[in-house]
Amino acid sequence: MKTDEARLQALAQRIGTESEMLAYPSRSWVDQVSDDAGGPVLDVLIVGAGQCGLAVGQGLIRDGVGNILLIDRNREGYEGPWLTYARMNTLRTPKIQVGMDHGLPSLTTRAWYEAKYGPGSWDAVDRVSREDWMGYLRWYRKVLNLPVRNERELVDVAQERNWFRVTLKSPNGAETVRARRIVMATGFEGNGEWRVPDEIAAALPPERRVHSNTVIDFARYRGKRVGILGHGASAFDAAITAIRHGAQSADICFRRETIPTINPYRGVEYVGFLKDFSEMDDAIRWSLNYFFDVHDQPPAKGSFELAQTFSNFAMHSGSPWLEVGMAGDEIRIRTPHRTFLFDEVICATGSVPDLGRRIELRSFAGDIALWRDRYTPPPAEERELLGFYPYLGAHYELQEKTPGCAPFLNRIYAFNFSAILSMGPHSTSISGHKYSVPRIIRGITRSLFLEQQHGVMDGIKSFREPEIVWPCAARHSECAT
């Protein structure tokens, strides 16, 4: 019987064969550019080497754009949230999702899973565990030999002529790279920042409150009463993890009167919506995002049900935190129904859209077009925070707020959570990759090609690769000229 290593090796060989079968046209085609000192300029720099960055990187290489680099601030194998602040047992996404494979059956999650665990293993699971998903991403990067540099954090972007000068912080000090295009594959954080509500941050010492989407040492909660604000997946996952680490109790409080039971996002997982959301009118796109924001999605089913099995877990609906403060050494929180005393607080309050908080965008954040600059919703659909999302072009490119103020912005692509209003709620998640990755690849390759369009004729005229040998060349000198 084959071992998992033998199966994985055989799978890697199949990927090579399938890639070769689908490689046409395989020639590199992008004109190489040098900076003023003759130094190298990347065609594309991808910021973030998680699932989105890896998928885009492979897509570019398959389309003949090989002069690329992916960077990630985390150490190798810990890109994205999966082994840092994600705490769910399994992915929320159904296991049947595809997209990172670029149409290669042997590159799918299923192919890797069955090679890793053996025949029949895929049928035995309902959803992929987050540890296995991270295992798949590690394998994906390795088997495709993608160019990734870890422990590189982007700290500045400056526009220079037809490229960007990008400053990176690395273990060896500052590094500089230049790139013609930049893809921000920066996940949920790419829209702004995880933020503890201001009133809680002002009322409690930093050591007594944390945001759920950060790295937390849960051992600190042993024997403690933990209060959690929010009803989403991260709230329940944090409560479960705290109890498993010995918390005395974990209480979830949230504003809504009931937990949502229907996931509206599942209702829009069909080709038309996933593929062409961005083609719809602004009014419809806004209305849909307003609906999703108002109705929200329930916590993951597995986490919700598991939390109910703990006797020291409780959830409290209709319980916004009206007053938060310290009462001696205890945290005192008043809700409409009762007053709680906690030892520690976790805020599962999501992210706040604020491009000015993004270090990679700060030098020109004020020039980026936002939805509030392009669309005014009817009074019944007003939602101030939605207006702070960037108003993107058809291929995830940033747009300038005022014509002529920052024309270079359309060479920066926001392939992260900030795209939700313009491109749809699934566009950069696993379930949307089948259609979103080809869209951004199409935009980048189109942009690069049009930038060199005036040299196409010269390239054709200088093409000198013979396809046949003229038979009369030896007898007629005129045939040889």
Side-chain angles (χ1 to χ4, degrees), residues 38 59 74 96 220 244 249 345 361 432 462:
N74 297 300
I96 58 175
R220 65 188 277 186
R244 284 175 166 170
S249 60
V345 160
L361 302 175
S462 63

CSV table of all heavy atoms in Angstrom, one decimal, residues 38 59 74 96 220 244 249 345 361 432 462:
chain,number,residue,atom,x,y,z
A,38,GLY,N,19.3,50.9,-13.7
A,38,GLY,CA,19.4,49.6,-14.4
A,38,GLY,C,19.1,48.4,-13.5
A,38,GLY,O,19.3,47.2,-13.9
A,59,GLY,N,-1.9,32.1,-10.9
A,59,GLY,CA,-2.6,32.5,-12.1
A,59,GLY,C,-1.8,33.4,-13.0
A,59,GLY,O,-1.9,33.2,-14.2
A,74,ASN,N,4.4,37.2,8.0
A,74,ASN,CA,4.5,36.0,8.9
A,74,ASN,C,5.6,35.1,8.5
A,74,ASN,O,6.1,35.1,7.4
A,74,ASN,CB,3.2,35.3,9.0
A,74,ASN,CG,2.1,36.1,9.5
A,74,ASN,OD1,2.1,36.6,10.6
A,74,ASN,ND2,1.0,36.3,8.6
A,96,ILE,N,-16.7,21.3,-1.1
A,96,ILE,CA,-16.7,21.2,-2.6
A,96,ILE,C,-16.1,22.4,-3.3
A,96,ILE,O,-16.0,22.4,-4.5
A,96,ILE,CB,-18.1,20.9,-3.1
A,96,ILE,CG1,-19.0,22.0,-2.7
A,96,ILE,CG2,-18.6,19.6,-2.6
A,96,ILE,CD1,-20.4,21.9,-3.3
A,220,ARG,N,-4.2,32.7,29.9
A,220,ARG,CA,-4.4,33.8,30.9
A,220,ARG,C,-5.8,33.7,31.4
A,220,ARG,O,-6.1,34.4,32.4
A,220,ARG,CB,-4.2,35.1,30.1
A,220,ARG,CG,-5.2,35.4,29.0
A,220,ARG,CD,-4.9,36.6,28.2
A,220,ARG,NE,-5.4,37.8,28.8
A,220,ARG,CZ,-5.3,39.0,28.2
A,220,ARG,NH1,-4.7,39.1,27.0
A,220,ARG,NH2,-5.8,40.1,28.8
A,244,ARG,N,-12.0,25.8,27.2
A,244,ARG,CA,-11.1,24.6,27.1
A,244,ARG,C,-9.8,24.9,27.8
A,244,ARG,O,-9.1,24.0,28.2
A,244,ARG,CB,-10.9,24.3,25.6
A,244,ARG,CG,-12.0,23.6,24.9
A,244,ARG,CD,-11.8,23.4,23.5
A,244,ARG,NE,-12.7,22.4,22.9
A,244,ARG,CZ,-12.9,22.2,21.6
A,244,ARG,NH1,-12.1,22.9,20.7
A,244,ARG,NH2,-13.7,21.3,21.2
A,249,SER,N,-15.9,30.9,33.4
A,249,SER,CA,-17.2,31.0,32.6
A,249,SER,C,-16.9,31.9,31.4
A,249,SER,O,-15.9,32.6,31.3
A,249,SER,CB,-18.3,31.7,33.5
A,249,SER,OG,-17.8,33.0,33.9
A,345,VAL,N,-12.1,40.7,29.1
A,345,VAL,CA,-13.1,41.0,28.0
A,345,VAL,C,-12.4,40.7,26.7
A,345,VAL,O,-11.3,41.0,26.4
A,345,VAL,CB,-13.5,42.4,28.1
A,345,VAL,CG1,-14.1,42.9,26.8
A,345,VAL,CG2,-14.5,42.6,29.2
A,361,LEU,N,-1.1,52.0,2.3
A,361,LEU,CA,-1.9,53.0,1.5
A,361,LEU,C,-1.8,54.4,2.1
A,361,LEU,O,-2.3,55.3,1.5
A,361,LEU,CB,-3.3,52.5,1.5
A,361,LEU,CG,-3.6,51.2,0.9
A,361,LEU,CD1,-5.1,50.8,1.0
A,361,LEU,CD2,-3.2,51.1,-0.6
A,432,GLY,N,-15.4,32.1,-3.7
A,432,GLY,CA,-15.4,33.0,-4.9
A,432,GLY,C,-14.2,32.9,-5.8
A,432,GLY,O,-14.2,33.5,-6.9
A,462,SER,N,10.2,42.1,-36.2
A,462,SER,CA,11.6,41.5,-35.9
A,462,SER,C,11.6,40.0,-35.6
A,462,SER,O,12.6,39.4,-35.4
A,462,SER,CB,12.1,42.2,-34.6
A,462,SER,OG,11.3,42.0,-33.5
